[in-house]
Amino acid sequence: MSDDQEAPLINGVEHKICEVLPCVDDDYGGVIVEMKTPMDAKSFVAALRYSFEQWRSQGKKGVWLNLPLSHVNLVEPAVKEGFQYHHAEPTYLMLVYWIPKAESTIPLNASHRVRVGAVVLNHNKEILVVQEKYGTLRGSGNWKIPTGVVDEGEEIFAAAIREVKEETGIDTEFLEILAFCQTHESFFAKSDLFFVCLLRPTSFDIQKQDLEIEAAQWMRFEDSASQPITHKNELFKAIHRICSMKMEKSYSGFSTQHITTFFDDKLGYLYLNKQEDMK
Amino acid sequence: MSDDQEAPLINGVEHKICEVLPCVDDDYGGVIVEMKTPMDAKSFVAALRYSFEQWRSQGKKGVWLNLPLSHVNLVEPAVKEGFQYHHAEPTYLMLVYWIPKAESTIPLNASHRVRVGAVVLNHNKEILVVQEKYGTLRGSGNWKIPTGVVDEGEEIFAAAIREVKEETGIDTEFLEILAFCQTHESFFAKSDLFFVCLLRPTSFDIQKQDLEIEAAQWMRFEDSASQPITHKNELFKAIHRICSMKMEKSYSGFSTQHITTFFDDKLGYLYLNKQEDMK
């Protein structure tokens, strides 16, 4: 059905005016419409109604409608035809329509942002810390570990390595997730997951990034732990306490195992405690 | 400035036609426009342009524009005025405009869906398992642990307790996150985090939910571990291996600590290894 450019036959009559909108089947009995060429609102509504006749007769369930920013003229007609918003990214808006009478099984939108904090300890019991040009600690004199946002499609451990490199120029290897923290309403209604990653440095000369970073240094771990912010903030305090135990080899976080996942045999990374024999 | 209904003065002339759109300041030097009453496209564009004059002169940075589904007529004019999509939920579309010449610091959209799997073990070395009416294991004869999606604003451990209760009627207490798994493109470009939670049952009579669950039972752990799916799927296998170690008290996952968080003193839950003395 997808991208079928032939005029369809209805009751033996060739309908040249309307064609099914360009679509592909999804894995859940629905279709995904991907608008690529420009279309005026009137032709769009006619084609959409014609398409719905076909989809209903085929027993289709969810209809996804991907409208690039360039097709913004079709948003209002789509909503007037009964579509709801599902999610949006800078360049497109995804709408959805649930055909069956039965309860919708349309999956929920992404709910969490994921961030990393990078603990980089060297052999001199120094921790890699920065002062940022922006953010709530700006100008406070406090030093913090490098932090940043995990991109869509990026591994958590890779994001930690990338952020350290970007902010300080230091190369690192991932060792463990020491802990993680979940908070809510970090960004409109969305929640936040913050993963504290332990990294081993493989280079030591700091080359700080200028855009966001005011200063970067190797700081004696004891000095970092005794900063006012460390005493005041429970997460900061917990990270230092975990690091202390880690340096005494009395703490075990989660390290990675590359696996195929639960249902769909996708590749992914499992983070688990490998302190014990996991062979 | 927000909700100011008085006619503003420009060069001493009262402008009754245009008022600044209803908006509130955000915490990052920007404004959030929340459209509540209906408006036609022409009046909206006039008010928007007038508002931008004010916001520019005030040095505002990001302008967020929240358009409920009922204001879909304003999406096209907003995009034509230079707004981009940021995110959308079923009932609204959020657009954004970055005023300064400097690089945008608009935060990224939520990137991850978060799911839980619940390992519930009783004192008879039995594990709580279900067969689903839908999903990829449907009709395969394999039994799986209860799983589900973490809602926006919901604690991971609470989601695990809720899913077990919904699917099987069993009451539980959260013990630990045993492991977690990150995969990508689980849903369009979005990534997926799957947390394996260990729960202690506090009730034992199963009352299965009919909508999604075909069957639910307490199954001998050995029988669950020897299912074909457990051998075939690495995540399934890893979960059983971790459970075996846990039953032998030779594995430690992450349990919770209620804390205030890094920068903004929000309350949140830290998940960390408490096997060692964390007092």
Side-chain angles (χ1 to χ4, degrees), chain A residues 52-212:
Chain A
F52 264 100
E53 284 174 29
Q54 313 304 307
W55 296 327
R56 282 180 199 280
S57 71
Q58 291 160 4
K60 294 296 183 195
K61 293 177 178 175
V63 177
W64 298 94
L65 173 62
N66 182 333
L67 292 180
L69 203 60
S70 56
H71 288 65
V72 66
N73 64 310
L74 305 182
V75 175
E76 188 177 359
V79 168
K80 289 190 170 162
E81 292 295 306
F83 277 85
Q84 278 205 323
Y85 302 138
H86 187 272
H87 68 276
E89 295 297 327
T91 58
Y92 75 90
L93 172 62
M94 184 70 81
L95 299 103
V96 71
Y97 188 107
W98 182 248
I99 294 180
K101 290 230 164 32
E103 199 178 343
S104 163
T105 57
I106 294 293
L108 292 177
N109 195 357
S111 55
H112 283 66
R113 283 199 301 168
V114 180
R115 295 185 303 124
V116 286
V119 172
V120 186
L121 294 165
N122 69 19
H123 289 299
N124 300 324
K125 295 200 174 177
E126 291 171 325
I127 184 168
L128 183 64
V129 289
V130 299
Q131 288 182 337
E132 292 176 338
K133 289 190 175 172
Y134 310 100
T136 48
L137 288 182
R138 172 175 52 101
S140 71
N142 284 294
W143 296 82
K144 62 178 275 294
I145 58 175
T147 55
V149 176
V150 178
D151 294 330
E152 269 175 14
E154 186 176 34
E155 307 299 341
I156 294 166
F157 67 83
I161 292 169
R162 174 182 55 74
E163 286 289 346
V164 169
K165 181 71 178 175
E166 281 177 12
E167 294 191 1
T168 69
I170 297 294
D171 296 305
T172 55
E173 291 170 357
F174 173 81
L175 295 174
E176 282 184 359
I177 305 271
L178 295 175
F180 63 89
C181 186
Q182 187 191 24
T183 52
H184 304 296
E185 299 194 354
S186 74
F187 170 64
F188 298 103
K190 301 296 179 182
S191 300
D192 187 282
L193 275 165
F194 178 73
F195 289 90
V196 183
C197 301
L198 179 66
L199 305 174
R200 186 200 341 254
T202 58
S203 76
F204 301 91
D205 284 343
I206 291 171
Q207 303 235 324
K208 85 167 182 72
Q209 180 236 57
D210 287 331
L211 186 65
E212 299 168 305

Side-chain angles (χ1 to χ4, degrees), chain A residues 89 152 154 180 182 185 190 233-234 245 250-252 259-262 266 271 273 276 278, chain B residues 89 152 154 180 182 185 190 233-234 245 250-252 259-262 266 269 271 273 276 278:
Chain A
E89 295 297 327
E152 269 175 14
E154 186 176 34
F180 63 89
Q182 187 191 24
E185 299 194 354
K190 301 296 179 182
N233 184 288
E234 289 175 353
M245 291 194 293
S250 64
Y251 186 89
S252 180
I259 59 161
T260 55
T261 62
F262 220 34
K266 267 194 186 149
Y271 292 78
N273 187 342
E276 276 70 38
M278 291 291 295
Chain B
E89 296 296 329
E152 269 174 18
E154 186 176 35
F180 63 88
Q182 188 191 24
E185 300 194 354
K190 301 296 179 180
N233 184 286
E234 289 175 352
M245 291 194 292
S250 64
Y251 187 88
S252 180
I259 60 160
T260 55
T261 62
F262 220 35
K266 265 193 189 148
Y269 279 94
Y271 292 79
N273 187 343
E276 276 71 37
M278 291 292 296

Side-chain angles (χ1 to χ4, degrees), chain B residues 9 20 64 68 70 78 82 86 91 94 104 106 112 119 144-145 149 202 209 212 216 221 244 246 263 276:
Chain B
L9 287 172
V20 171
W64 298 93
S70 56
H86 187 273
T91 58
M94 184 70 81
S104 164
I106 294 292
H112 284 66
V119 172
K144 62 179 275 295
I145 57 174
V149 176
T202 59
Q209 183 237 55
E212 299 167 306
F221 179 77
S244 291
K246 193 71 209 178
F263 298 125
E276 276 71 37

Side-chain angles (χ1 to χ4, degrees), chain A residues 69 90 134-135 187 211-212, chain B residues 26-33 48 52 55-56 59-65 78-79 81-86 94-108:
Chain A
L69 203 60
Y134 310 100
F187 170 64
L211 186 65
E212 299 168 305
Chain B
D26 70 15
D27 295 338
Y28 305 93
V31 292
I32 306 171
V33 179
L48 188 65
F52 264 101
W55 296 328
R56 282 180 199 280
K60 295 294 182 195
K61 294 177 178 173
V63 177
W64 298 93
L65 174 60
V79 167
E81 291 296 306
F83 277 85
Q84 277 205 325
Y85 302 139
H86 187 273
M94 184 70 81
L95 300 102
V96 71
Y97 187 107
W98 181 247
I99 294 180
K101 290 229 165 29
E103 198 177 347
S104 164
T105 58
I106 294 292
L108 292 177

Side-chain angles (χ1 to χ4, degrees), chain B residues 120-139:
Chain B
V120 186
L121 293 165
N122 68 19
H123 289 299
N124 300 325
K125 294 200 175 177
E126 291 171 325
I127 184 168
L128 183 63
V129 288
V130 298
Q131 288 183 337
E132 292 176 338
K133 289 191 175 174
Y134 311 100
T136 48
L137 288 183
R138 175 173 49 101

Side-chain angles (χ1 to χ4, degrees), chain B residues 144-202:
Chain B
K144 62 179 275 295
I145 57 174
T147 54
V149 176
V150 178
D151 294 330
E152 269 174 18
E154 186 176 35
E155 306 300 341
I156 293 167
F157 66 82
I161 292 170
R162 175 182 54 74
E163 287 288 347
V164 170
K165 181 70 178 173
E166 282 177 10
E167 295 192 359
T168 69
I170 298 293
D171 297 304
T172 55
E173 291 170 358
F174 174 81
L175 295 174
E176 281 184 359
I177 305 270
L178 296 176
F180 63 88
C181 185
Q182 188 191 24
T183 52
H184 304 297
E185 300 194 354
S186 73
F187 171 64
F188 297 104
K190 301 296 179 180
S191 300
D192 186 282
L193 275 164
F194 179 73
F195 289 90
V196 183
C197 301
L198 179 66
L199 306 174
R200 186 199 341 252
T202 59

